[in-house]
């Protein structure tokens, strides 16, 4: 579903211009490149939506303010559940 | 009996087009003017939960769709070519970050007044009111409601309300005055604004709230669906959790018009449809609201009920529907009408069937089947 924002691409790269990048910065950069994408993952209170899983370098991360290392690989997965 | 509405019947439309919004996507059901042969096209937004899809009746081609998926957040899609292509809203309905509230889904869409061509209104779950001034591209909260000091008292907590979340629905704009509006909330009740949404006041006198310790409340009721009477925006019909009601303005006390329903069927249901040309005619689709609220057709025998005297009496209309073992029902947005001289009435079921009547409910025919759970059926 999120690939509808990236023209089908399963993997994209974004650059964050901040010395101490956080996950929220990465998601903001994604939204700038692919408008609308962030709100599908993060609600207006700044919380990760319940069924969206984000892995930073294979570590599950639910805090948008978590620090992200330079060159980190971030995986966003829709945790499909229910009927 | 009140005077008949004066609105004239329009020339016969050339076709009927229904937008069928479901738990798994959006379909379109179209017929020529005979209303005998129907063509189902879709899905669009496959996998999305589509709560509402609405045509902008002011331009006849703009459509808005309220959608979310099970795991991604809520949004609004917009088409300016009658549904051939869609673009997502740049700024979907969302509460202000400092409110701490989160839109779970946009539930209701209403085009604004004809004098305000770009204006749309949206109601959300939990209860929030939003307005777009650019045809649905960007949305802002209506502070007069969302930040009203009484809002929390009116609505209760965001976790309260219906099993699928509390909702703001039935956004009605007076065709004579863009500043005059009504909304319904499940729960909360019916509210009125006379200043375009800057302020609101409850309008629930006479409506029962059997689920409250004090049934004679100012607010806290559970209207399921509120509609203007055809041709007469001074008359409102309401299908409520606790009955069927009618309000003739400027009065402020609703009249109980559900007492004429058969006792074995009851007065609980979700949709309410008003005849477009006759203020005294309306339809409801009752469901089993006994005990634990099974929310299925009463006794497995679905039927619409029609009044032709403003709710004084009701007539069962089930010719063509299953006579037994049909355990579906109809949600609040899933029943509508067309504008033919002899009005067509349509509804979508929780079991994924669309039914229609070409003769104002006298006979019914299944127009489409095997769709997902239907959330709304609207004329486009």
């Amino acid at each position: 579903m999120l690939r509808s924002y990236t023209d089908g691409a399963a993997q994209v790269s974004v650059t964050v211009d901040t010395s101490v990048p956080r996950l929220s910065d990465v998601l903001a950069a994604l939204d700038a490149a692919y408008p609308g994408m962030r709100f599908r993952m993060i609600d207006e209170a700044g919380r990760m939506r319940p069924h969206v899983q984000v892995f930073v370098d294979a570590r599950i991360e639910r805090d948008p303010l978590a620090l992200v290392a330079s060159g980190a690989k971030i995986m966003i997965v829709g945790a499909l559940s229910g009927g | 009996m009140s005077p008949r509405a004066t609105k004239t019947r329009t020339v016969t439309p050339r076709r009927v087009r229904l937008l069928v919004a479901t738990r798994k996507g959006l379909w379109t059901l179209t017929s020529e003017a005979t209303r005998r042969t129907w063509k189902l096209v879709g899905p669009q937004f496959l996998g999305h939960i589509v709560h509402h899809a609405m045509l902008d009746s002011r331009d006849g081609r703009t459509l808005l769709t309220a959608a979310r998926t099970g795991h991604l957040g809520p949004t609004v899609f917009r088409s300016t070519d009658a549904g051939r292509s869609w673009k997502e809203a740049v700024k979907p309905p969302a509460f202000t970050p400092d409110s701490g509230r989160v839109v779970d889904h946009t539930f209701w869409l209403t085009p604004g007044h004809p004098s305000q061509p770009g204006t749309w209104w949206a109601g959300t779950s939990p209860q929030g009111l939003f307005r777009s001034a650019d045809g649905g591209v960007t949305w802002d909260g209506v502070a007069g409601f969302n930040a009203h000091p009484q809002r929390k008292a009116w609505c209760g907590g965001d976790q309260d309300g219906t099993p699928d979340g509390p909702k703001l629905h039935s956004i009605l704009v007076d065709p004579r005055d863009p500043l005059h509006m009504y909304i319904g909330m499940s729960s909360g009740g019916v509210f009125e604004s006379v200043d375009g949404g800057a302020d609101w006041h409850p309008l629930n006198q006479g409506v029962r709230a059997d689920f409250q310790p004090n049934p004679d409340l100012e607010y806290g009721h559970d209207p399921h669906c509120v509609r203007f009477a055809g041709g007469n925006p001074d008359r409102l019909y309401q299908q409520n959790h606790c009955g069927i009601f009618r309000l003739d303005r400027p009065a402020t006390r609703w009249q109980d018009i559900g007492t004429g329903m058969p006792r074995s069927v009851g007065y609980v249901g979700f949709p309410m449809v008003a005849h477009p040309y006759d203020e005294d005619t309306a339809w409801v689709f009752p469901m089993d609201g006994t005990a634990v609220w099974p929310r299925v057709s009463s006794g497995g025998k679905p039927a619409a009920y029609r009044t032709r005297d403003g709710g004084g009496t009701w007539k069962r209309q089930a010719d063509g529907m299953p006579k037994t073992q049909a355990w579906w029902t109809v949600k609040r947005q899933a029943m509508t009408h067309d504008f033919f001289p002899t009005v067509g009435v349509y509804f979508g079921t929780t079991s994924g069937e669309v039914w229609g009547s070409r003769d104002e409910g006298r006979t019914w025919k299944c127009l489409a089947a095997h769709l997902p759970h239907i959330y709304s059926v609207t004329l486009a």
Side-chain angles (χ1 to χ4, degrees):
Chain A
M1 170 61 214
L2 288 175
R3 294 180 196 180
S4 66
Y5 291 86
T6 63
D7 201 21
Q11 190 168 329
V12 298
S13 297
V14 292
T15 302
V16 177
D17 293 326
T18 173
S19 55
V20 187
R22 299 180 185 276
L23 179 56
S24 57
D25 298 319
V26 177
L27 298 178
L30 265 178
D31 197 63
Y34 308 105
M37 195 174 186
R38 181 180 181 279
F39 189 62
R40 307 304 298 275
M41 301 182 284
I42 305 283
D43 67 31
E44 55 266 60
R47 293 184 293 252
M48 204 82 73
R49 295 194 186 277
H51 300 290
V52 172
Q53 298 284 35
V54 176
F55 297 86
V56 178
D57 288 330
R59 184 188 79 249
I60 195 164
E61 183 56 76
R62 294 207 59 79
D63 181 4
L65 297 180
L67 296 172
V68 176
S70 176
K73 185 173 182 181
I74 297 175
M75 181 183 289
I76 302 168
V77 180
L80 301 175
S81 57
Chain B
M1 186 185 299
S2 60
R4 292 277 165 170
T6 55
K7 186 171 180 178
T8 53
R9 295 180 187 234
T10 58
V11 294
T12 301
R14 285 179 298 169
R15 60 161 177 76
V16 180
R17 184 175 187 233
L18 301 173
L19 301 176
V20 183
T22 81
R23 190 166 182 266
K24 300 290 183 183
L26 177 69
W27 277 261
T28 305
L29 191 57
T30 309
S31 168
E32 302 302 322
T34 60
R35 296 180 289 178
R36 291 183 184 279
T37 306
W38 294 82
K39 182 181 179 186
L40 185 69
V41 175
Q44 293 181 304
F45 308 111
L46 182 62
H48 283 73
I49 302 165
V50 184
H51 281 98
H52 212 191
M54 283 296 291
L55 170 74
D56 188 341
S57 52
R58 296 164 297 186
D59 68 13
R61 65 174 188 280
T62 299
L63 305 175
L64 292 194
T65 293
R68 66 164 295 146
T69 65
H71 54 291
L72 297 178
T75 194
V76 169
F77 292 98
R78 179 173 183 262
S79 172
T80 55
D81 55 11
R84 281 184 284 279
S85 62
W86 297 85
K87 277 191 174 178
E88 186 177 353
V90 171
K91 184 184 172 196
F95 292 114
T96 53
D98 61 348
S99 71
R101 304 182 75 207
V102 173
V103 172
D104 183 80
H105 56 270
T106 297
F107 183 71
W108 189 280
L109 295 163
T110 292
H113 191 271
S115 68
Q116 300 173 333
T119 297
W120 280 78
W121 301 89
T124 60
S125 173
Q127 300 99 322
L129 182 63
F130 294 84
R131 181 176 184 268
S132 173
D134 56 14
V137 180
T138 61
W139 295 84
D140 289 300
V142 177
F145 177 80
N146 295 348
H148 194 288
Q150 286 287 97
R151 200 252 337 138
K152 193 167 183 184
W154 293 339
C155 302
D158 288 351
Q159 304 306 314
D160 299 339
T162 68
D164 195 29
K167 301 181 190 311
L168 191 151
H169 57 83
S170 302
I171 304 169
L172 305 177
V173 181
D174 190 331
R176 302 161 301 187
D177 177 4
L179 300 180
H180 185 212
M181 302 172 63
Y182 300 95
I183 56 173
M185 290 189 289
S186 300
S187 57
V190 175
F191 288 73
E192 180 183 34
S193 174
V194 294
D195 51 17
D199 196 13
W200 296 86
H201 57 263
L203 192 64
N204 298 297
Q205 287 180 43
V207 178
R208 286 194 304 278
D210 299 339
F211 48 88
Q212 298 275 8
N214 172 13
D216 194 18
L217 297 168
E218 187 182 8
Y219 49 80
H221 301 73
D222 187 3
H224 287 173
C225 190
V226 187
R227 302 284 188 191
F228 283 130
N232 180 7
D234 278 331
R235 169 173 285 186
L236 298 171
Y237 285 108
Q238 176 185 165
Q239 171 67 72
N240 187 282
H241 186 104
C242 300
I244 309 167
F245 299 90
R246 191 189 80 213
L247 177 63
D248 290 298
R249 306 307 308 274
T252 55
R253 176 166 283 275
W254 293 81
Q255 305 301 311
D256 185 350
I257 59 170
T259 54
M261 290 287 289
R263 188 176 291 269
S264 60
V265 174
Y267 46 64
V268 176
F270 276 92
M272 181 100 226
V273 172
H275 193 290
Y277 310 122
D278 182 352
E279 65 178 21
D280 288 327
T281 296
W283 289 266
V284 292
F285 206 102
M287 66 173 196
D288 188 341
T290 60
V292 295
W293 270 53
R295 296 167 192 256
V296 295
S297 55
S298 296
K301 300 171 183 174
Y305 279 75
R306 184 202 64 197
T307 181
R308 295 191 66 192
D309 54 9
T313 58
W314 295 90
K315 178 180 172 61
R316 182 180 176 89
Q317 293 189 314
D319 188 359
M321 291 187 210
K323 290 182 168 38
T324 185
Q325 294 292 354
W327 298 99
W328 38 260
T329 190
V330 181
K331 294 209 156 176
R332 75 186 87 200
Q333 293 143 308
M335 192 169 183
T336 192
H337 63 78
D338 64 28
F339 288 92
F340 279 69
T342 300
V343 170
V345 185
Y346 309 91
F347 64 82
T349 73
T350 50
S351 60
E353 295 173 357
V354 181
W355 289 77
S357 168
R358 303 188 306 134
D359 50 16
E360 308 204 350
R362 291 178 192 86
T363 58
W364 296 91
K365 183 180 167 189
C366 184
L367 310 180
H370 314 306
L371 293 171
H373 186 128
I374 293 172
Y375 282 0
S376 87
V377 174
T378 62
L379 188 71

